[in-house]
Amino acid sequence: MLRIAVQSKGRLYEDTMQLLSEADIKVTASKRTLLVSAQNFPLEVLYLRDDDIPQSVATGVADIGVVGENEYQERGAEADIISRLGFSRCRLSLAIPKDIDYQGLEWFNGKTIATSYPVILNRFLDEHHIHADVHVITGSVEISPGIGLADAIFDIVSSGSTLVSNNLREVEVVMQSEALLIGHPGMSQEKRDILNQMLFRFEAVKQAEDKKYVRMNAPKAKLDEIINVLPGLKSPTIIPLADEEWCSVHTVLDQKRFWEIIGQLKDLGAQGILVTPIEKMIL
């Protein structure tokens, strides 16, 4: 059985459990149980604090784990990056009181910066030859300037609303972060086989993101023009109809260009356009 370490609460927990659910891996979440087996897949879920996951995977306590790139970089654990999962995106940034006239990184020379990520911050400061006092705290880093504990902060930023509510503004983005699937380097081949099955399911879910399955009735006289505006995976499916002058066209469209393409199809005479979401796509 493959063991995956998952954050026990928060947005990363929710996004990970949603991915497992979309991949048809049924796990009953329980706040009281640290280790839970999936009902229909050889997988068990170990719930941990986010900062414990990299080391747990590196030492083999868990075979794989889902962790924010920020925690993976900060802990420096010897675990392999298996896949970038594309969710729980955020950034690590430097922020200062909003009324300060900021002219550049040199402002941080001689200043005190509060953070929960001293390794990443010190590396950044060294690369830019900035000499600052790094004050390591856990918890509500954003209140530090307001209570006189620090001149600035280095912390996770998502929407930026927390900074605004604490009269801070983001001035330097140090790194972008997203959820990573990491793995133990010494994983057995049997467990790698299970992992590959799971990755296959994840990929099918990812391929279906922002995709729509589109069916329409199209006049045969305009069929070549309609096919030319369809950016499908391959050629669209063409099905004859009872009316010999019409056919049914089936294809997949990306959400980003959906309305643009639908407008072109209507201009070319397409009718009865039916749009359905796609749960999974296997290429």
Side-chain angles (χ1 to χ4, degrees):
M1 186 172 286
L2 188 71
R3 179 179 292 178
I4 181 172
V6 172
Q7 185 173 315
S8 58
K9 60 182 179 179
R11 186 167 65 114
L12 188 55
Y13 160 81
E14 294 170 358
D15 290 343
T16 303
M17 300 310 290
Q18 180 179 346
L19 176 60
L20 291 173
S21 176
E22 290 174 347
D24 296 325
I25 299 174
K26 297 180 180 179
V27 178
T28 302
S30 173
K31 294 183 178 180
R32 295 183 179 182
T33 307
L34 295 179
L35 190 63
V36 178
S37 296
Q39 299 172 20
N40 60 344
F41 194 81
L43 180 78
E44 55 183 6
V45 179
L46 176 63
Y47 296 110
L48 297 173
R49 285 166 45 99
D50 57 347
D51 51 0
D52 289 333
I53 292 175
Q55 188 63 21
S56 296
V57 175
T59 57
V61 172
D63 303 302
I64 58 175
V66 177
V67 66
E69 189 170 1
N70 52 307
E71 288 293 344
Y72 176 77
Q73 294 288 348
E74 179 67 22
R75 304 302 160 186
E78 295 182 0
D80 299 329
I81 297 178
I82 296 171
S83 176
R84 292 182 173 272
L85 298 176
F87 56 74
S88 296
R89 296 182 185 274
C90 62
R91 56 195 181 274
L92 280 173
S93 297
L94 286 160
I96 64 175
K98 65 179 184 179
D99 56 352
I100 289 178
D101 180 24
Y102 181 75
Q103 299 295 326
L105 275 174
E106 293 76 15
W107 181 88
F108 290 98
N109 273 314
K111 300 295 193 300
T112 299
I113 307 171
T115 186
S116 300
Y117 299 94
V119 173
I120 297 173
L121 176 57
N122 279 314
R123 184 166 60 221
F124 175 79
L125 295 176
D126 289 344
E127 289 173 355
H128 292 83
H129 309 291
I130 302 297
H131 301 285
D133 179 24
V134 176
H135 186 72
V136 182
I137 62 175
T138 58
S140 302
V141 175
E142 65 275 1
I143 70 172
S144 300
I147 62 175
L149 187 61
D151 302 298
I153 69 166
F154 176 65
D155 202 15
I156 291 175
V157 178
S158 246
S159 65
S161 59
T162 301
L163 295 181
V164 172
S165 64
N166 285 275
N167 294 315
L168 299 172
R169 65 186 175 102
E170 186 178 8
V171 293
E172 299 286 344
V173 177
V174 174
M175 72 169 282
Q176 300 287 344
S177 177
E178 65 178 297
L180 301 177
L181 181 65
I182 60 175
H184 177 56
M187 201 185 318
S188 69
Q189 186 57 52
E190 290 80 5
K191 291 186 176 182
R192 289 189 182 277
D193 290 342
I194 299 171
L195 171 61
N196 288 335
Q197 293 177 40
M198 189 173 71
L199 290 174
F200 175 76
R201 296 190 184 195
F202 286 176
E203 185 63 22
V205 172
K206 186 176 181 180
Q207 290 293 340
E209 288 179 356
D210 298 323
K211 299 290 195 306
K212 303 294 182 183
Y213 188 75
V214 180
R215 289 168 282 182
M216 72 200 81
N217 293 333
K220 286 186 177 179
K222 294 286 187 177
L223 187 56
D224 288 342
E225 293 177 71
I226 288 174
I227 291 175
N228 285 335
V229 304
L230 294 176
L233 298 175
K234 293 184 179 178
S235 60
T237 300
I238 311 297
I239 301 173
L241 297 177
D243 187 337
E244 294 183 356
E245 295 184 358
W246 288 77
C247 60
S248 179
V249 179
H250 296 209
T251 191
V252 174
L253 295 181
D254 193 301
Q255 183 68 40
K256 294 178 182 178
R257 295 191 58 203
F258 176 78
W259 290 111
E260 171 195 346
I261 294 170
I262 290 296
Q264 295 178 48
L265 294 173
K266 285 184 62 64
D267 291 342
L268 290 169
Q271 298 178 3
I273 302 173
L274 180 63
V275 182
T276 54
I278 300 174
E279 286 188 3
K280 300 170 186 67
M281 184 181 296
I282 300 170
L283 302 179

